[in-house]
Amino acid sequence: MAAGFVEMQRVLAYVSAHLDGDVSLESLAAHAGYSPFHLHRTFSNAVGETPGQFTFRLRLARAALLLLTSEEPILEVALASGFRSHEVFCRAFHRRFGMTPSAYRKRGFAQSLKRSQVSDHAACVEQTAPCLGLYHMQQGSKSGRNDMAYSVTKKELAPQPVLVARRRVKRSEIAATIGAALPHVFAFAQQQGIALTGLPFTRYPEMGPGLITMEPGMKIASTMRSDFEEVPPLPGASVVVDTLPGGPAATTMHTGPYEALPDAYAAVEQWIEDQGLATAGAPWECYVNDPSEYPDPKDWKTEIFWPLRA
């Protein structure tokens, strides 16, 4: 899968940079030097959605961001997001978010935000929207070889509010679950006007021999409305508000394909035992960079955190 993704990375980048222009299948194929059929098949296999679905999702994400962070008229928001008709934009927006663009703008953010937090949210949306389905993309290698030496340290963390989608799955389904759940978390945050503050993560509350409980999620700004009943939740979202705990944690940085992450967890666990320390909760992994900007798996960075007893 990774090889096809490397081939499609420049198409992803082109779409993200030209949402207000012509990013039709024919135009993208001409830009990439492929036939429309080859581009559609390769893109869909590598990214997990068709070029049209990818473009449509990014355009609505940009529109939602502009409605919350700018004072541009709704028609200008529609045009800047690649919609050529006010009516088409309003219908598409209502289908995705459950309210009209004007109602969405009037409601505003769910949190009381500082200017810096609004900027953080905008940067997070722009950075993560193109790659939400790509985290934990499998490299396809069968060698399983990982020669990385891990340096484990102890850090003091501040509590971090998050949105998570809880799932209980087979170990073989981890990658697919992360790729499917993160778009739900992102869409839920946008639907509810919740400000995001950083790249995605996944926490693992229970690791059984057959099934595991996992929580793909995203970090959010701290203060929000006490409930989200104004808009019906997105179908299949099952997203909840939670907190990554503060306090001491063992941490290390993994560089390389996601398939080798168990080695990083093993290194952290071994370090905890060697130091005579004890764990105090579920570990999690934070995706430091995203595959849409770094198509080569050897460049993917993932930071592991494992809470410790004080």
Side-chain angles (χ1 to χ4, degrees):
M1 181 176 180
F5 176 72
V6 171
E7 188 180 358
M8 289 295 102
Q9 194 272 345
R10 58 194 177 111
V11 179
L12 288 169
Y14 183 84
V15 172
S16 300
H18 296 85
L19 286 175
D20 58 346
D22 181 8
V23 286
S24 63
L25 179 61
E26 292 73 18
S27 176
L28 293 178
H31 173 75
Y34 303 123
S35 71
F37 174 79
H38 177 77
L39 177 67
H40 188 279
R41 181 181 62 182
T42 306
F43 188 99
S44 301
N45 289 339
V47 180
E49 54 189 336
T50 68
Q53 290 169 334
F54 177 78
T55 298
F56 187 69
R57 178 172 62 78
L58 261 61
R59 282 175 163 166
L60 285 174
R62 172 175 289 182
L65 175 62
L66 291 175
L67 287 169
L68 290 179
T69 60
S70 78
E71 297 180 357
E72 293 292 328
I74 289 177
L75 177 58
E76 294 300 319
V77 169
L79 295 174
S81 303
F83 293 90
R84 294 293 173 255
S85 162
H86 180 274
E87 291 73 19
V88 170
F89 168 60
C90 289
R91 287 198 299 270
F93 192 92
H94 192 279
R95 283 196 302 270
R96 175 62 60 89
F97 297 108
M99 61 175 63
T100 65
S102 58
Y104 184 86
R105 168 173 275 173
K106 182 177 181 180
R107 187 193 62 178
F109 279 108
Q111 303 107 317
S112 298
L113 301 176
K114 301 176 182 177
R115 183 175 299 178
S116 61
Q117 291 175 308
V118 174
S119 297
D120 288 345
H121 171 73
C124 183
V125 169
E126 293 287 351
Q127 184 174 7
T128 59
C131 57
L132 285 167
L134 304 178
Y135 290 102
H136 256 266
M137 182 175 58
Q138 303 241 348
Q139 186 181 15
S141 171
K142 298 183 181 297
S143 69
R145 182 177 178 84
N146 177 28
D147 297 322
M148 183 173 179
Y150 294 99
S151 175
V152 183
T153 58
K154 186 177 179 181
K155 288 185 179 180
E156 193 73 21
L157 305 179
Q160 173 62 59
V162 294
L163 292 176
V164 298
R166 291 175 180 155
R167 302 287 188 269
R168 188 159 175 79
V169 301
K170 300 176 184 177
R171 287 178 176 267
S172 60
E173 298 171 342
I174 289 177
T177 300
I178 293 174
L182 285 177
H184 280 301
V185 175
F186 182 87
F188 181 85
Q190 282 211 307
Q191 182 199 37
Q192 301 292 346
I194 299 171
L196 301 168
T197 61
L199 289 170
F201 68 92
T202 300
R203 180 166 55 177
Y204 299 92
E206 295 180 12
M207 301 285 284
L211 298 177
I212 68 166
T213 300
M214 57 188 298
E215 296 176 338
M218 298 191 74
K219 300 174 184 179
I220 60 176
S222 57
T223 305
M224 65 175 60
R225 290 188 293 264
S226 60
D227 62 65
F228 303 105
E229 299 301 324
E230 295 179 44
V231 181
L234 294 164
S238 303
V239 177
V240 298
V241 180
D242 208 329
T243 302
L244 295 178
T251 181
T252 194
M253 183 71 74
H254 169 76
T255 301
Y258 297 132
E259 292 99 306
L261 275 169
D263 292 340
Y265 280 100
V268 173
E269 193 169 13
Q270 184 65 60
W271 183 88
I272 292 172
E273 290 185 7
D274 292 345
Q275 298 295 314
L277 301 172
T279 61
W284 66 88
E285 60 198 41
C286 292
Y287 310 118
V288 177
N289 55 15
D290 67 83
S292 68
E293 292 188 7
Y294 298 88
D296 192 331
K298 71 179 178 59
D299 297 324
W300 298 344
K301 293 184 180 294
T302 310
E303 193 167 13
I304 307 297
F305 295 93
W306 207 319
L308 301 170
R309 291 183 186 175

